[in-house]
Structure formats: C-alpha cells, structure tokens
Amino acid sequence: MTAGFDFWDYVVFVAYAILILGVGLWVSRDKKGHQKNAEDYFLASKSLPWWAIGTSLIAANISAEQFIGMSGSGFALGIAIASYEWMAALTLIIVGKYFLPIFIEKGLYTIPEFVEKRFSTNLKTILAVFWLGLYIFVNLASVLYLGGLAIETIMGVDMMYAIIGLALFAAAYSLYGGLSAVAWTDVIQVVFLVLGGLITTYLALNTVSGGEGVIQGFAKVWEAAPEKFHMILDETNDNYNNLPGIWVLVGGLWVANLYYWGFNQYIIQRTLAAKSLRESQKGILLAAFLKLVIPLIVVIPGIAAYVMVNDPAIMANLGEVGQLNVPSAAQADKAYPWLLQFLPVGLKGVAFAALAAAVVSSLASMLNSTSTIFTMDIYKQYINKNATDKATVNVGRISGAVALLIAVIVAPLLGGIDQAFQFIQEYTGIVSPGILAVFLLGLFWKKTTNNAAIWGAVASIPIALALKFLPIPIFEPWMHQMGITALLTMAIIMILSHLQNKGADDPKGIELSKELFKTSPTFNIGSFVVCILLTVLYALFW
C-alpha cells in the first residue's frame, strides 16, 4: 500500500486520457464535404440515441461535487444527503413527461431561447446573463477547485497545476467538437465513473469488515454509525439547517431539483439533441434509474470513511498511509480522496480515472452550454445577427475558452470551503427560485405576462438575499429560503399579470393539450417502477 501512484496507475490513467481525447476528436471531425454548422456543434446534429442521452445526463451531473462533495457530506451527515439523488429520479420523470414535450416541439437550442419565444428578448437576455455568471463563477470554478483538491490530495501535485491540467484536458476535445464530442465521450466516462466508484465502495466496506466482504462491511457500518442512516433529520441534528427534516421532501429541494433538471442548459441540452421526443424520454428514464444507484458509489464511501476514522483498531491496521490527509468533521471533503490512497496498484489508476471522468465530463458539459448561451443568446442577438455557421462555431469555441480561463482564476479562491456540494447548492439557490417561478408560470399559466415575469425575475434576487441574511430563525435553513423565494416570486408574477391583463390570457401563452403529454408504455411502466423503488428506499432509511 502506497500513498502515491505506481507505474501501472499512470499507465491506466494515461490510457484513459488517450481514449477520451481520441474518441472526442474522432466523433467531432468534420465529415468530408460538410462544414460544421450550429446544429452540429451545439445540438450534436440532433442525432443522439436514448442510451447516449441517459448516460450523458449522468456524466454531466456527476462531478467532483458528487464524488468529493457528496462523499464529504456522507462523512458529515450521512445517507440524508442521498435525497438529492433519489428525488432527482422522480424529478427526471416529471421533466420527461411535462417539460420536454413543450421544449422539443418548439425546436430549441437553449433554455433562454424558450424565454424569448414565450416572453421577450429583454427577459431572455436577463436570464442568459444570470446563467453565464452562475456557470462561470459557481459551477465551473467549484468543479475545477474540487478536482484540483483531489489531485493534490492523491498525487501531491500543486493545486494550481492540477486545475490548469483539468481545464486543458476538458478544453482539448469539448471546445473543438461541441456537444457531439461531449455526449459520446460521456458514454465512456460513465463506465469509468461507475466502475471506479464501485471499486472504491467495495474497498471501503471490505476494509471496515476486516476483509470479510461488502455485506459484513455494510452491516458493521450500520451498527457503528446508525445515526448516519436516517433520511429525515430532526431539529436536534447539527446538520438540520442543511437538510431540514420532512421539508426536504415537501419544500425547497423541489426548487433545486426542478430548476436543475428542467431548466438548466448544460443538462437539458442533451435532451434537445435527441432523434425524437420518444428517444429523449427513454434517455430521461435511463438517467432516473441510474440516479437510484448513485448514492451507493458517492455517499456510502463517505459514511464508511467516517467509521474507519473513528475506529482506532482500523486506523492502526492502515499503517502510515492511513495517517495522511485524514478527513475530519472540519474537513469532510477529504473523505473520498483519502479512501483512494488504499486501492491496490492499477485499481488506483482506474478509480482516479473515474474521478477525472466525473470532473472532465462536467467541465466539458458546462463549457459547451456556456458557449451555447453566449453565442446564440448574446452574440447572435446583439453583436452579429447575420453570423455565418463558421463564425457562430468559432465564437462558441472562443467564448468557451474565455469562460474556462476566468473559472481557472476564480477556482483557487474557493479554498477553505467545506462540504462543497452544499456550498454549490446554497449559492445556486439564490438564482434558481426566480428562474423556476418564471418558467413554471410561463409553461403552465397562460395569463403570465412578459412585464410581470421580468419584475418577478429581478425581484427574486433581493428577496433571496434578504431571506439569507435577515436574522430570522425560521428562515435559517437555506432550503426554506429557496422555497419561500420561489413562492413569493410566483405571487408577484401572478398579481402583476392579473393587474396588467385583467384576467385575460397572454397572447404568447402556450396552448396545452392531453395529446402533447401522452407518453409511451415503456416510459409509463419504467416511471412506475422508479416510484416503487423510491418508496422502498425511503421506507428503509426513514
């Protein structure tokens, strides 16, 4: 057992890197006699099959914030953090049935484009600027920081060099190839991601059991830390403000999930690139099933690390390596990188490739979506309305590179935050309630007016900040802040819409019909199975 990488670990990792770069550049090459156009670059020529969509959704979603941040939260507060994953499975089904049919029918490139068709160019621009700021300063920067933290912990490479290396790796194929390169390499990334995660979970549980296997290890973890296996935290728990009990199921977490899976460009862009609506819905269903198993590879290792660190006998058996970079209550995000130190030669390279796959696939997805929003919603709207396909693609590449450079500069400034997964959710939660309110009412309430939506979106930010910083105990859990902000924003929009239109429908209101939301037997049966499995999981870990 050694703390660093062995020769075979480097071989495995370099082979992974060559495979990803090779596939990414190969699938994104220009076909003979065909110049890459906007649909090719931003929507993968609308050719993605269901299995590519489902795996790409997971690869875009599962990043360092899950592997490192969610394992850290598993170490600190336990299985309750899995609510993000399990509720996401149900949210994906809602998105597939009720949101996707409208988006695909309108032939969208970007989510802000829907805002323009339903409301106005002004509101589209406001939301596009919101998203660009969020993606660059929160999403891209935090993923780079956490990836750099992992490389520094495992390999001893200085964090700044690690951040630059990850950025260059993601840029190498995503900026050139666009969504096609991102989506098809994601299929491979998910294989590494799941395989590496399962290996780490096996190692952690087998170590806890003293070599007696995973089942015994899980039983010992449950016995040693029963308080870590409650999905619903009570008010006496130190982490109640992060996951406020039953309100997780009926409150603000719905804001986070519906916003993220339904109206987040770097997620929804995959579904817009489907061959058809039915294909897109099957991809969504695959992602929902994968979401049910994600806690096994990102949360359970964190709980196992907690048991290991607090068991003197296990720590003694781990030797000198076990004393390096030990996670603690104040530094919970070290849990996953700490576990990787104990993998045997070769497998350490696989697990690290999984972590790199999670980081790089998310970076590539965020870069592609950032460049899509800037190019289609800012550049083509205000700078060059008659841009050729070649100019559009080039601007997409340049804007992605600039966004990445800014994120590289910002990422090291995030040093010192703990439970980074919670940090990302909390600060995304300042913007997401207002956006969610605008979209839900725009989709499903025909009376919603453009002026009301603009005022609601703008007012949501000071409302969110006021709830965050006012010393009112009931507003202390940030999930409450998200839920209340969303409700207040919706109330503002509805009142202003009523005053403006005197109860009449807005001319741009969307006509809805039962036929629009009709789904296939496959989707219906799969959705039912997901709901049954969720019920069993919550009953088991309540």
Side-chain angles (χ1 to χ4, degrees), residues 307-328:
V307 172
M308 292 164 68
V309 165
N310 288 282
D311 189 319
I314 293 177
M315 291 298 287
N317 289 334
L318 293 177
E320 289 184 16
V321 175
Q323 313 311 313
L324 299 173
N325 299 305
V326 180
S328 63

Side-chain angles (χ1 to χ4, degrees), residues 324-346:
L324 299 173
N325 299 305
V326 180
S328 63
Q331 292 184 307
D333 282 343
K334 286 188 175 182
Y336 199 87
W338 180 73
L339 286 173
L340 294 190
Q341 296 178 131
F342 310 125
L343 286 169
V345 170

